[in-house]
Each structure stands twice: as C-alpha cells, then as structure tokens.
C-alpha cells in the first residue's frame, strides 16, 4: 500500500481530519452501546448524537430537528427525491439538470421507467442553466426540482437561491445536492428557498459512510428506509454513532475555518491553474472560472488523453482525476463536459485537480515541475500534435 | 485503476518505435480523436522481399492504446507483409501478457492499423462507407462486418464482449439489441423472426398516407423532436430542420454531430430511416452544405 501521495483529488474524497479521527475513537472502543437503549450506558450516547446534530445545524444555519443523519450523499439524494414523490402521489414530474451526479441522474432515469416524467435542463458553455428553460419546464404536476449546488467535475456553482425562488413560486419542492459545496461555501438555510439538502461526510474530512439530509421543518416527506424509530422516524437503522460524532466534529472545524481555509486553498488552486495555462500550450479551463468552488480546476490538455496523463502522474504519486472515457470504465467521456459542449477531443484530455486544506505549496510546486514533461511526452507520441 | 500487466506498463512508460517514418512506404490510420483513441502507423518496406524494415506509431489514447501500438510495432518489425497480415488482436494482447477485458478494443485498433497500412501498400483503397457493410453502432462507427469478424476470431458470444472489443454499444446503447441479433445469427442461434420481432419499434403515429405539405412538415418536426433529437442529444449533438422540398429534407447537424466523423452515417442510416418510417417511405435526407 502506498500513502506518500500528493493528493489533489479531494472532490472524490478527502482525508479524515486528525481531530475528527480522535473524536470517533471512543465510540469504536469503550462506548459501544446502542443510543436507543434505556440503560445509562447506551442512553448517554443519544446526547452525543444531539451534540453532533447541533454542530451540523450550526454549519448549515438550520435547526437541529431539521438534520437527519444518513449513510452517504447518495442515500440522502434517494431519500429526498423518493420521499417527496411518495408523499405527493399525484405529481409525476421531476426537473433536474444534465450535469448532476449519477446519484441523481441514474435515479431519475430509473424513475422514468416507472411512470415519471423527467426534464433534464441543459447547460451552456460555462456550465450554467437557463432560468427561462427552468421557468418553461415547471408544471402544475412538478413534484420536485433537484439541482446540485456545485458541480463535482468543474466546481461550477449554480445560483441555487434564485433557482429555489422560482421553484417555490410554482409550488414544487426544491432539493439541492450540496455534497461538493458544504465546507467550501458558507450557507444559511434559515434564509433559504431550499427545502431539502444532501451532504456527505467524506467530502469534508469526516469518514466515508455518513451523510446528512436536511429537511426543512414542515416538509411532508415519507421515510426512505423504514424500520425503527431512529432519527424521529425519518431514517430507520441503528445510528452510526462514531461516524455521526465524527461528522459533527468535521462540521465544527469547517464552521470555524471556512473563510481562512478557502482563501488558502483558492490561492494554491489559482497558482496551479495560472502556471499550467502559462507554461503549457493548448490548454484551457472547462467551466465558469468565476462562479466556481475555490478548490477545483478542470483543465483540458489538447491532443492527448486523460488516462495516460493520470498514469504518468501516478509515477510521481500525484492523484488527480479525468473526464476521459478510458478512466470511467464507460466508453463515453464525462457527461458534464459533453453537456457543456466541450469538444469530445478536449473532454478526453481533461484533468480535474481538486485541493483541500491539507495540500501545501510545495505539492503544487511538484505538480508544476513534472507536468510539462508529461504533456510533452504524450504529445510526442500523439498523431495530433499541432505541427504548424 | 486498471489492472495492467507489467508488460503493458513497460510499453506505456517506455514506448518502442513511436514517431513517424519520413517518406514511409505504407501508412495506416484508424480511430479518431472524437472516439477517444486513434493510431497512425507508418512502415518502411523492402520492395524486393516485402519485409517490414521499420515500423513507427503515433497514438492518441489511454495507457493500453499506447502499449498495444508499441507492442504491435515490435512484433511486426522484420516480418514479411504476409506474416504481419496474419497477426490477430489476440496475439497483440498476448504479447502484452493480456489486457483488461474493457480494453481489448485497444488491441483491435492495433490490428486494424496494420491492416490499413498493408492495404495502403498494396494500393487497395478501403471505401469506408461502402465496403465495410451496414453500420450498426453510430456512436463509434462500427459495422456489422466488423462485429461478425471479431466475434468469430475471438469467440465472442456476449454483447458486452463486443463492446469491449469494438466499443459498439458503448455509447447511447441504441444498437445493443442489434448486436445481440448479429451474434445470434453468427452463432446459429436464430430466433423466431416472425412473432415477437427482434427490433424494438416505436409506435407509428396513425396513418401517414396522403399528407398535405403542412401536415408533412408537422410530422417531420414531431419525429425530429420525439425520436431523432433525444438520441442525438445523448451524444451532445442536435439537428435543425432547414427546408423541405417535396420529399427532400434538408437538415443541419449541430454540436458534436457537426464534426463527428460518422455524421454522414448518422444522417443516412438514422435520420432517414426514422423519417421514412414515421413520415413517408419516399423521403431523402440531405445535409445542408456548410463547412463551419
């Protein structure tokens, strides 16, 4: 196993913060009881879950009772959409976008086969949706509109509050997949048009296997996982207390440091991006560079293919990702880049760098040191390198 | 992460024979940037003995595409054209200690570039549109002949295998049933053709006999909107109706489709078929002359 990595793949997952890890340990060792038990040994743990819930609520500007712990972002997305559909049986229409995460897209495609009508909003070159298209798509039987807060591949941010206001004016429910945004963008759900919001622990330095579904107070929603009375009957299953407490700690850390950290991360990202564009010809950034997460850049290297770049990066322990077809196991390049109209060729040669607070300037230096030679090598092999 | 063999990684990190032979005696080009991989092979051939004196490749593609190209050039150097012509994609893969199943198409690309170069040397022109048979996969431009040939050569029985070897069916997925039918036919597993009908047909809108011009245009637009456009959209493309002149329908391909190498196929085999099916059997589709 290798762990001397230069890890710039934080939109895939993040390292667990040391403070978060420390927070988990007691619940994996001595405090193993079930928080639902009557005895003090178990019952005392319920208050720990409440503390974690309160910390998460503070990060989101929500009420503690609006926070439901789940097992991951995908579960939260499924619970939001399926829960709303099942409590609104007469409404058969869903609106989402073409650039959503598979947790939403594949769910919607599944629902289409089961009698639902889904509108997939397109995006422009910068990755933005059209309000006009959204307005026209909203129907009297639209049950729910689900839009991501920030895109995992490009980092492009959707204006969710404005979208939400339009959605609410037409009486539909509004769900936001905020998996990539939480901890990177400040959010205040107390003044928001968002009804439901999904987030995932492992994208903000908590472990994998825990997530949150925010449900605005008063929202009519049926539970997705049915069983015991946990989470006030909204999500059955014995609480994953170690991970929930870990997520509470991660939320607390994010809340304390969001501005300073994002500033630091943004500076590193900007330096990386600027240097690549300056030193390597035939490169460009995919997506809006202004309305974008501070940690993400998606760069296309023309004439070469992304998997090759990643394999050569791997020799130096550099971990990034690509929108190329070859890295996905499918034969098509990224659906996000294709929806944005990025030419196939450039989509095949796209690399996503996603940073976190644990990256350092010297890591950025190392990437910038090895990248030009990697690109040069692959372009020397390519039949398409510009000759004139 | 793919499970590449050491030999694949070696040929990827230290590719043999990359570059271009100046004044090459033969050139073979396959694939395209749009499809995600492409290979250009140049050969130096001894005219007396027909031996391959030198071989060089240029490849756009993933690790295994580059490794397969490198391996193929190593294998053919010193061979006679006849010997080289007998190399199969399975041998290229074997030379590398095997490829992941999903990457077998990389070895097929190597074999095809070699075939193209030999044909080029012999002065045989391969007419892409005509000679290779009916187009099955529009996304990756794969023909029925190619599917049949690879199925037999590599003993492939599943649609998934065909996708791994040719990419066919790996895009929009519209041709998966077609591929299954081809495989069934190849392996003499012929289905009852009459009753259940192998191909999935969408319901025909009412009757389409004598249409007024207005009705016809309406029906064309409806077919474009409901049947054709969704499929093109999946590949990031779109279509615009420019004009209708009796039975001649002029369209413009937009987005990805406008510079897709298989766009002429797209027009002919898809748009026309659908319009013939839903509007009138006399319809002819023409792409607007526009090179931008």
């Amino acid at each position: 196993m290798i762990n001397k990595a230069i890890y710039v793949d934080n939109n895939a997952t993040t390292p667990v913060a040391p403070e978060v890890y420390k927070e988990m340990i007691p619940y994996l060792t001595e405090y193993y009881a079930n928080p639902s038990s009557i005895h003090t040994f178990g019952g005392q743990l319920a208050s720990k879950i409440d503390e974690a819930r309160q910390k998460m609520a503070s990060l989101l500007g929500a009420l503690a009772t609006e926070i439901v712990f789940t097992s991951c972002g995908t579960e939260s997305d499924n619970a939001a959409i399926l829960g709303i559909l099942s409590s609104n049986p007469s409404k058969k229409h869903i609106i989402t976008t073409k650039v959503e995460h598979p947790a939403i897209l594949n769910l919607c495609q599944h629902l289409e086969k089961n009698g639902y009508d889904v509108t997939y909003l397109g995006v422009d070159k910068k990755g933005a949706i059209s309000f006009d298209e959204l307005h026209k798509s909203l129907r009297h039987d639209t049950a729910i509109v689900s839009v991501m807060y920030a895109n995992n591949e490009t980092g492009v941010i959707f204006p969710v509050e404005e979208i939400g206001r339009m959605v609410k004016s037409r009486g539909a429910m509004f769900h936001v997949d905020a998996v990539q945004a939480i901890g990177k963008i400040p959010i205040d759900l107390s003044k928001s048009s968002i009804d439901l919001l999904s987030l995932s622990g492992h994208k903000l330095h908590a472990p994998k296997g825990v997530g949150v579904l925010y449900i605005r107070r008063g929202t009519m929603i049926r539970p997705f996982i049915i069983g015991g009375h946990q989470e006030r009957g909204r999500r059955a299953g014995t609480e994953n207390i170690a991970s929930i407490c870990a997520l509470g700690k991660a939320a607390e850390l994010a809340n304390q440091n969001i501005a300073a950290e994002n500033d630091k991360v943004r500076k590193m990202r900007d330096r990386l991006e600027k240097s690549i564009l300056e030193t390597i010809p035939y490169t460009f950034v995919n997506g809006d560079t202004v309305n974008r997460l501070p940690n993400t850049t998606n760069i296309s290297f023309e004439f070469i293919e992304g998997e090759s770049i990643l394999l050569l990066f791997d020799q130096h322990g550099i971990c990034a990702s690509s929108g190329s077809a070859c890295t996905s196991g499918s034969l098509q390049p990224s659906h996000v880049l294709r929806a944005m109209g990025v030419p196939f060729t450039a989509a095949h040669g796209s690399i996503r760098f996603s940073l976190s607070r644990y990256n350092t300037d010297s890591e950025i230096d190392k990437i910038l040191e090895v990248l030009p030679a990697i690109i040069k090598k692959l372009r020397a092999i390519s039949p398409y390198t510009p000759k004139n | 992460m793919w499970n590449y063999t050491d030999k694949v990684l070696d040929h990827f990190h230290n590719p043999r024979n990359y570059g271009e032979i100046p004044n090459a005696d033969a050139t073979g080009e396959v694939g395209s940037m749009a499809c995600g991989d492409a290979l250009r092979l140049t050969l130096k051939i001894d005219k007396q003995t027909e031996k391959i004196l030198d071989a060089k490749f240029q490849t756009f593609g993933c690790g295994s595409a580059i490794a397969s190209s490198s391996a193929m050039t190593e294998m053919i150097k010193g061979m006679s054209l006849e010997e080289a012509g007998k190399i199969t994609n399975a041998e290229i893969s074997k030379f590398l200690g095997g490829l992941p199943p999903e990457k077998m198409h990389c070895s097929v690309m190597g074999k095809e570039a070699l075939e193209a170069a030999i044909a080029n040397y012999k002065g045989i022109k391969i007419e892409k549109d005509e000679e290779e048979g009916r187009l099955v996969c529009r996304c990756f431009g794969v023909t029925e002949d190619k599917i049949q040939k690879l199925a037999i050569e590599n003993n492939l029985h599943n649609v998934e295998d065909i996708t791994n070897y040719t990419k066919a069916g790996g895009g929009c997925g519209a041709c998966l049933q077609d591929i299954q039918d081809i495989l069934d036919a190849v392996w003499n597993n012929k289905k009852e053709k009459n009753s259940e009908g192998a191909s999935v047909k969408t319901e025909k809108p009412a009757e389409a006999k004598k249409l007024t011009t207005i009705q016809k245009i309406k029906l064309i637009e409806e077919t474009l909107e409901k049947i054709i456009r969704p499929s093109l959209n999946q590949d990031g493309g779109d279509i615009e109706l420019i004009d209708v002149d009796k039975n001649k329908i002029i369209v413009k391909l937009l987005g990805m489709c406008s510079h897709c190498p298989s766009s002429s196929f797209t027009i002919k085999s898809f748009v026309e078929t659908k319009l013939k099916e839903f509007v009138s059997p006399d319809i002819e589709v023409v792409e607007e002359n526009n090179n931008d």
Side-chain angles (χ1 to χ4, degrees):
Chain A
M1 301 284 268
I2 296 167
N3 77 346
K4 269 196 115 182
I6 295 179
Y7 190 77
V8 283
D9 199 12
N10 287 279
N11 289 5
T13 193
T14 57
V16 173
E19 301 92 323
V20 169
Y21 172 70
K22 211 175 136 200
E23 185 81 15
M24 298 177 75
I25 301 304
Y27 309 103
L28 295 171
T29 51
E30 59 219 275
Y31 300 110
Y32 51 80
N34 189 324
S36 300
S37 296
I38 293 299
H39 44 74
T40 310
F41 185 40
Q44 63 184 350
L45 299 180
S47 67
K48 290 292 168 189
I49 294 179
D50 288 342
E51 279 173 33
R53 199 185 305 281
Q54 188 54 56
K55 287 173 187 165
M56 180 51 75
S58 308
L59 175 66
L60 302 180
L63 302 169
T65 52
E66 293 174 321
I67 304 295
V68 175
F69 289 109
T70 66
S71 70
C72 60
T74 297
E75 185 197 317
S76 299
D77 287 342
N78 274 262
I81 291 183
L82 296 173
I84 290 299
L85 293 179
S86 104
S87 58
N88 292 277
S90 62
K91 293 188 169 184
K92 296 287 183 193
H93 181 231
I94 303 161
I95 299 175
T96 187
T97 78
K98 288 184 178 169
V99 298
E100 297 299 307
H101 188 273
I104 295 289
L105 279 185
N106 289 342
L107 173 64
C108 285
Q109 281 163 18
H110 171 76
L111 287 165
E112 279 183 290
K113 289 179 193 142
N114 288 283
Y116 285 91
D117 200 6
V118 182
T119 302
Y120 300 92
L121 302 173
V123 295
D124 64 14
K125 269 189 179 153
K126 287 184 157 185
I129 63 160
S130 141
F131 279 93
D132 200 35
E133 196 189 346
L134 171 64
H135 187 76
K136 283 181 190 153
S137 303
L138 282 160
R139 310 192 319 212
H140 67 278
D141 68 336
T142 305
I144 186 165
V145 176
S146 180
V147 168
M148 66 197 339
Y149 204 130
N151 188 272
N152 49 315
E153 294 189 26
T154 59
V156 170
I157 297 168
F158 278 139
V160 287
E161 289 305 334
E162 286 164 81
I163 295 171
R165 279 196 291 276
M166 186 178 278
V167 170
K168 297 314 295 170
S169 75
R170 300 292 294 274
M173 299 304 292
F174 185 43
H175 169 248
V176 171
D177 174 353
V179 162
Q180 294 295 344
I182 300 305
K184 298 168 195 159
I185 306 172
I187 187 167
D188 184 0
L189 289 170
S190 70
K191 295 179 192 141
S192 169
S193 52
I194 297 169
D195 295 311
L196 302 129
L197 176 139
S198 303
L199 69 90
S200 167
H202 74 103
K203 309 284 190 192
L204 72 153
H205 305 290
K208 295 152 192 75
V210 63
V212 163
L213 177 62
Y214 158 87
I215 304 172
R216 175 173 296 284
R217 195 162 64 149
T219 303
M220 300 289 285
I221 183 166
R222 296 244 171 97
F224 171 59
I225 292 184
I226 296 163
H229 60 274
Q230 294 87 354
E231 300 296 286
R232 296 168 62 233
R234 289 174 300 179
R235 200 279 187 183
T238 298
E239 298 90 339
N240 180 354
I241 179 160
S243 293
I244 288 171
C245 291
L247 182 51
K249 186 69 187 176
E252 185 184 77
L253 293 174
N255 215 359
Q256 285 164 1
N257 307 324
I258 194 165
E261 268 165 16
N262 283 331
D263 220 39
K264 177 193 150 192
V265 168
R266 184 192 303 276
K267 276 185 188 142
M268 285 192 288
R269 190 273 314 267
D270 288 348
R271 182 164 77 90
L272 175 69
E273 180 176 281
K274 194 164 167 267
S275 295
I276 290 173
L277 296 179
E278 279 172 6
T279 54
I280 304 176
Y282 302 103
T283 50
F284 59 86
V285 176
N286 292 308
D288 192 338
T289 54
V290 180
N291 294 310
R292 186 169 54 152
L293 293 174
N295 78 319
T296 308
T297 177
N298 186 309
I299 301 179
S300 277
F301 297 87
E302 291 193 78
F303 315 114
I304 53 178
E305 194 276 334
E307 186 201 294
S308 310
I309 302 171
L310 294 182
L311 281 172
L312 291 175
F313 261 158
D314 198 52
Q315 279 196 310
H316 301 279
I318 298 168
C319 311
S321 74
S322 167
S324 122
C326 288
T327 55
S328 63
S330 85
L331 291 164
Q332 298 272 22
S334 147
H335 69 283
V336 174
L337 300 183
R338 286 165 65 212
M340 287 161 59
V342 174
F344 267 60
T345 51
H348 283 299
S350 67
I351 297 290
R352 176 189 72 187
F353 299 93
S354 49
L355 281 59
S356 83
R357 60 177 184 253
Y358 294 106
N359 287 119
T360 62
D361 276 317
S362 64
E363 288 178 332
I364 301 300
D365 290 339
K366 177 73 183 173
I367 297 170
L368 289 170
E369 182 196 317
V370 301
L371 186 55
I374 288 174
I375 302 303
K376 205 174 161 191
K377 176 175 180 173
L378 292 172
R379 283 184 178 163
I381 298 173
S382 170
Y384 295 121
T385 307
K387 270 137 198 148
N388 304 309
Chain B
M1 195 52 142
W2 298 109
N3 200 3
Y4 287 138
T5 64
D6 288 345
K7 194 126 191 221
V8 170
L9 289 174
D10 176 36
H11 276 265
F12 167 67
H13 286 299
N14 311 296
R16 282 54 149 187
N17 314 310
Y18 73 84
E20 189 181 8
I21 297 174
N23 307 317
D25 297 309
T27 304
E29 282 178 274
V30 289
S32 76
M33 268 211 276
C35 293
D37 43 27
L39 167 52
R40 186 165 184 275
L41 175 70
T42 47
L43 302 178
K44 185 98 202 143
I45 297 165
D46 184 318
K47 302 224 163 64
Q48 300 284 298
T49 60
E50 292 211 326
K51 259 200 165 47
I52 298 170
L53 301 175
D54 198 8
K56 283 197 191 298
F57 77 91
Q58 289 170 302
T59 292
F60 165 84
C62 61
S64 62
I66 290 171
S68 296
S69 311
S70 167
M72 184 263 292
T73 54
E74 279 290 273
M75 288 165 77
I76 63 170
K77 279 208 295 188
M79 275 187 178
S80 71
L81 280 185
E82 203 193 331
E83 288 167 331
K86 286 181 188 153
I87 286 180
T88 64
N89 69 286
E91 286 168 332
I92 297 173
S93 166
K94 199 175 158 202
F95 182 92
L96 288 166
L99 289 170
E102 298 88 343
K103 296 284 191 176
M104 284 306 288
H105 59 83
C106 296
S107 67
V108 174
M109 181 169 76
K111 151 95 180 150
E112 285 181 342
L114 183 55
E115 273 175 1
I118 293 173
N120 171 255
Y121 180 76
K122 294 188 171 159
I124 305 166
K125 280 216 169 124
I126 299 174
E127 290 292 336
K128 276 211 166 168
D129 302 26
E130 320 251 317
E131 219 143 311
E132 293 176 10
R134 183 175 68 89
L135 189 77
V136 176
C137 172
R138 293 186 308 279
C139 299
F140 292 106
V142 183
T143 61
E144 184 168 4
D145 289 6
K146 180 167 170 178
I147 293 169
Q148 288 170 339
K149 195 169 150 227
L150 281 162
I152 295 164
E153 272 179 17
N154 295 284
N155 194 26
L156 308 178
H157 290 262
N158 301 316
V159 175
E160 198 187 324
D161 293 332
I162 294 294
T163 306
N164 288 340
Y165 276 69
T166 66
K167 296 193 182 182
C172 70
C175 63
L176 292 171
Q177 183 61 52
D178 201 354
I179 298 172
Q180 184 64 60
D181 292 345
I182 293 168
L183 285 176
D184 288 346
V186 164
W187 300 112
N188 288 325
N189 239 343
K190 280 179 189 158
K191 276 188 189 167
E192 270 4 284
K193 270 215 167 173
N194 29 10
S195 62
E196 277 146 82
S199 65
V200 189
K201 276 202 178 167
T202 327
E203 239 179 85
K204 265 198 181 185
E207 264 299 290
K209 280 191 223 157
K210 286 269 172 192
L211 296 167
T212 66
T213 311
I214 302 262
Q215 283 173 328
K216 189 192 279 175
I217 292 174
K218 252 186 147 177
L219 196 53
I220 291 168
E221 282 194 319
E222 199 187 321
T223 310
L224 283 177
E225 186 57 40
K226 290 192 176 152
I227 312 281
I228 295 167
R229 195 163 281 135
S231 180
L232 296 181
N233 285 170
Q234 281 197 311
D235 299 322
D238 208 342
I239 191 165
E240 197 182 304
L241 182 63
I242 302 290
D243 205 357
V244 178
D245 180 9
K246 290 187 186 141
N247 279 325
K248 197 166 154 192
I249 296 174
I250 299 144
V251 298
K252 187 178 177 187
L253 289 181
L254 306 167
M256 293 297 113
C257 293
S258 61
H259 44 82
C260 174
S262 58
S263 78
S264 59
F265 283 130
T266 311
I267 287 274
K268 279 282 167 218
S269 69
F270 183 57
V271 180
E272 197 167 275
T273 317
K274 289 295 166 197
L275 288 174
K276 277 181 170 167
E277 184 180 346
F278 290 105
V279 183
S280 154
D282 308 321
I283 273 176
E284 183 196 355
V285 174
V286 183
E287 196 175 352
E288 190 194 34
N289 273 337
N290 194 346
N291 287 330
D292 62 10

